[in-house]
Amino acid sequence: VRELLERYVRLLRSDELALPSVAADRTAMVRRARREVSSLLATEGYFSPTVRIDRSDTEVWELRVEPGPRTTIREVDIAFEGDIVTADTSGGRASPELLRAGWSLPAGAPFRQQDWDRAKQNLLDAVSARYYAAARIVHSRAEIDPDQHTARLAVRIDSGPPFYLGDLDVSGLKTLPEDLVQRYGHGLLRRGQPYDREALLAFQSGLQNAPNFASVIVDIERDPALASAVPVRVQIAEALPKRLSFGVGMSTNTGYRVEASYRDTNLFARAWELSTGLRLEQRRQSAYADVFLPPAGRHRDSFGMLLDRSDLEGLKIESQAVGVARKTLRGDIETQLALRYQHEKISPDGAESRASDTLTANWTWVKRDVDDLLDPTRGYVLEFQLGGGAAIALAEQDFVRLYSRFARYQPVGERDVFIVRGEAGATLANSRTGIPQDFLFRTGGAQSVRGYAYQSLGVREGSATVGGRYLGTASAEYVRWFEPQWGAAFFVDVGDAADERADF
């Protein structure tokens, strides 16, 4: 208990000892110190301390404390009243038996005021997480026997009636469509649905992450009289809809660049999000425009176009594409189904140029379980892709593309990170002729096989490197941080892309 007393007992602080009032009334000072010590020790479960305060001739104060035996819990009485006592637990309601089993301060545990308060709050949170939004503690008592050094705990919770959701009560919308908030809630919140705190938080998080809103608060009125159809209150502050950005930079993959982008989150006053931009790089140039429709629950649809030109490792590619996509988010799993029509012209140095028109479909599944999406230090990312085209739908031949990627981040010590990555891909087709380069594989450069130029590993055609039908890379990396912004990475990369497995 030394640290506790040194932090809070005023007698032990030098600034307090220097006050004139301390020297004028040492008796009052000693009494106050005794009360402080006894009160502080009681919060830690010591109710029979011996406290002695002496002052030597050298003006040194000495505080002697014998805390005595620590109080332990002898008995716990947890009682419930309200609907929870008789309700059927098959609908997800918490049962009194499970709640008692989850009590965090059982008999035999040491008594601490902080643990007692936390245990009561955790129990109340467990009751009120679903159905019982108005649950409350109607009685709690910690009865201490200082002679026996034991404590008897009693707490009674009234669950109140079960709550069911009513209509959304939205306020704060000015320029956005009135049904926008309902679209975000579609599939997540339904009228008549039992109250679920996690569902409301997920709804609020989805709104907060949307570019249309600057701030969002979602809550209900915890009035038992409204329990049969409680309105869900949504308070909105709209974000500024238009944004124009400019940037310059450089990349080891594609060289120096300049770019400009424009975003409008309320296109045509329908809450459509327009994202368009132009990027000019040394070895690649692109222009794009995408329109994202308001979400429908977990789904969000989009359509767009892309103009792209690149000159990498002797392969010039000019492509124009239009497409539609549906993205679905369920927790930390994201899926996307995309359909794209593209015209592509490739010109390998020293080989014949050719052009193709292709209609392709692609399905992507990604699970991200990391501590930070932008700079992960713990967790993993797992991705699968399945796509292809058919000869009956513009493609020159039938082909199917399979791709998977895995990355694992493991912290080492306080700041260092060990990273393992791997990726594998295969395009199932008789040959690579007529297959878009996006559905073939090249590798090399950052985030793949470092030490080789970007996209330099693949199939030689003329003097250029073009995509092959097979891919495999792996990497092990240790990042040592010397300062928060400075570190060094030690890594081993291996991998290649080829058109035949025998040439891998």
Side-chain angles (χ1 to χ4, degrees):
V1 296
R2 176 188 296 273
E3 182 180 353
L4 177 71
L5 300 180
E6 288 178 343
R7 181 182 299 177
Y8 294 109
V9 175
R10 285 181 284 179
L11 176 65
L12 301 180
R13 298 207 295 263
S14 59
D15 56 336
E16 289 284 337
L17 293 173
L19 296 175
S21 59
V22 172
D25 193 351
R26 292 190 176 91
T27 302
M29 177 194 66
V30 170
R31 285 199 302 266
R32 185 182 68 186
R34 289 181 184 275
R35 289 195 301 269
E36 290 177 348
V37 170
S38 297
S39 297
L40 288 168
L41 292 178
T43 66
E44 293 296 308
Y46 300 103
F47 292 94
S48 304
T50 300
V51 182
R52 181 177 175 180
I53 302 175
D54 296 320
R55 173 176 167 269
S56 68
D57 294 336
T58 58
E59 297 295 331
V60 175
W61 290 87
E62 186 176 69
L63 174 62
R64 293 180 178 270
V65 178
E66 174 55 52
R70 194 171 206 170
T71 297
T72 57
I73 299 168
R74 184 179 69 183
E75 181 182 334
V76 180
D77 179 21
I78 302 175
F80 298 94
E81 59 184 58
D83 180 80
I84 194 173
V85 177
T86 58
D88 182 7
T89 59
S90 61
R93 290 178 172 87
S95 69
E97 292 77 15
L98 289 178
L99 292 169
R100 291 189 181 97
W103 175 256
S104 60
L105 204 58
F111 176 86
R112 293 177 68 245
Q113 183 65 41
Q114 184 178 1
D115 294 341
W116 168 230
D117 293 338
R118 184 186 296 116
K120 290 187 292 183
Q121 187 60 51
N122 289 344
L123 178 63
L124 181 61
D125 289 344
V127 175
S128 61
R130 300 195 73 231
Y131 284 95
Y132 304 114
R136 61 191 180 95
I137 297 176
V138 294
H139 171 76
S140 71
R141 180 180 177 87
E143 187 177 300
I144 307 299
D145 185 341
D147 296 329
Q148 299 296 322
H149 312 296
T150 59
R152 296 178 58 193
L153 308 181
V155 58
R156 185 167 71 250
I157 290 184
D158 180 6
S159 69
F163 277 65
Y164 297 90
L165 302 184
D167 296 326
L168 294 180
D169 180 13
V170 182
S171 61
L173 290 180
K174 298 178 180 178
T175 62
L176 294 169
E178 294 183 359
D179 68 340
L180 180 61
V181 176
Q182 282 84 353
R183 291 179 66 94
Y184 274 94
H186 179 73
L188 297 176
L189 301 179
R190 305 181 307 276
R191 180 178 175 83
Q193 173 182 332
Y195 165 80
D196 188 324
R197 182 169 59 223
E198 291 300 322
L200 290 186
L201 289 175
F203 177 47
Q204 176 176 291
S205 178
L207 291 173
Q208 187 66 70
N209 292 334
N212 312 88
F213 310 118
S215 66
V216 181
I217 298 175
V218 177
D219 203 358
I220 65 169
E221 183 69 36
R222 287 164 172 76
D223 183 355
L226 304 174
S228 61
V230 60
V232 179
R233 295 180 303 184
V234 184
Q235 296 174 277
I236 297 290
E238 294 183 357
L240 295 176
K242 296 178 175 62
R243 178 175 178 175
L244 181 63
S245 304
F246 301 94
V248 297
M250 69 86 59
S251 161
T252 55
N253 288 345
T254 50
Y256 295 98
R257 70 175 179 270
V258 295
E259 58 186 315
S261 62
Y262 173 75
R263 187 182 74 175
D264 185 350
T265 60
N266 195 18
L267 186 66
F268 306 134
R270 301 184 64 177
W272 291 11
E273 180 185 349
L274 169 66
S275 179
T276 182
L278 174 67
R279 172 177 286 196
L280 304 177
E281 300 172 282
Q282 283 181 284
R283 294 185 284 275
R284 188 170 192 170
Q285 303 81 44
S286 59
Y288 65 90
D290 293 303
V291 176
F292 299 88
L293 304 183
R298 296 185 175 92
H299 306 293
R300 191 170 196 190
D301 299 327
S302 62
F303 58 89
M305 61 172 291
L306 170 69
L307 306 177
D308 188 79
R309 183 183 184 278
S310 64
D311 186 354
L312 297 166
E313 296 299 315
L315 177 62
K316 299 180 178 65
I317 303 176
E318 297 179 7
S319 65
Q320 305 86 42
V322 294
V324 296
R326 163 165 285 192
K327 182 179 293 185
T328 304
L329 187 62
R330 291 182 175 90
D332 57 3
I333 296 178
E334 178 183 298
T335 60
Q336 177 175 283
L337 182 62
L339 187 67
R340 181 175 65 177
Y341 169 76
Q342 72 180 81
H343 172 78
E344 180 182 85
K345 178 182 179 182
I346 64 173
S347 302
D349 291 347
E352 182 181 355
S353 299
R354 54 185 180 272
S356 62
D357 295 282
T358 315
L359 180 66
T360 58
N362 199 66
W363 176 79
T364 304
W365 182 97
V366 183
K367 179 178 175 62
R368 297 182 179 89
D369 186 6
V370 292
D371 57 348
D372 189 320
L373 290 176
L374 297 180
D375 187 20
T377 61
R378 181 189 300 274
Y380 67 91
V381 178
L382 183 61
E383 177 179 352
F384 297 101
Q385 291 184 18
L386 172 63
I392 61 173
L394 299 180
E396 293 187 18
Q397 61 172 318
D398 298 335
F399 64 93
V400 175
R401 179 181 183 270
L402 306 172
Y403 173 81
S404 64
R405 177 176 66 95
F406 175 77
R408 171 70 183 180
Y409 304 88
Q410 180 63 44
V412 180
E414 294 184 1
R415 291 186 296 190
D416 296 355
V417 186
F418 181 65
I419 306 170
V420 178
R421 301 188 189 95
E423 60 178 348
T427 300
L428 308 180
N430 293 328
S431 71
R432 67 177 187 274
T433 303
I435 299 177
Q437 289 294 303
D438 287 346
F439 283 75
L440 297 171
F441 303 101
R442 290 191 292 174
T443 190
Q447 302 300 314
S448 60
V449 186
R450 289 161 285 190
Y452 290 84
Y454 180 56
Q455 303 282 272
S456 65
L457 298 177
V459 179
R460 300 299 292 179
E461 185 173 326
S463 58
T465 301
V466 302
R469 290 180 293 165
Y470 297 97
L471 169 73
T473 69
S475 173
E477 176 175 338
Y478 185 89
V479 183
R480 176 74 172 97
W481 291 101
F482 306 111
E483 299 290 341
Q485 302 297 332
W486 292 95
F490 305 87
F491 59 85
V492 172
D493 295 339
V494 63
D496 199 2
D499 203 39
E500 302 287 345
R501 282 175 291 182
D503 299 333
F504 192 78

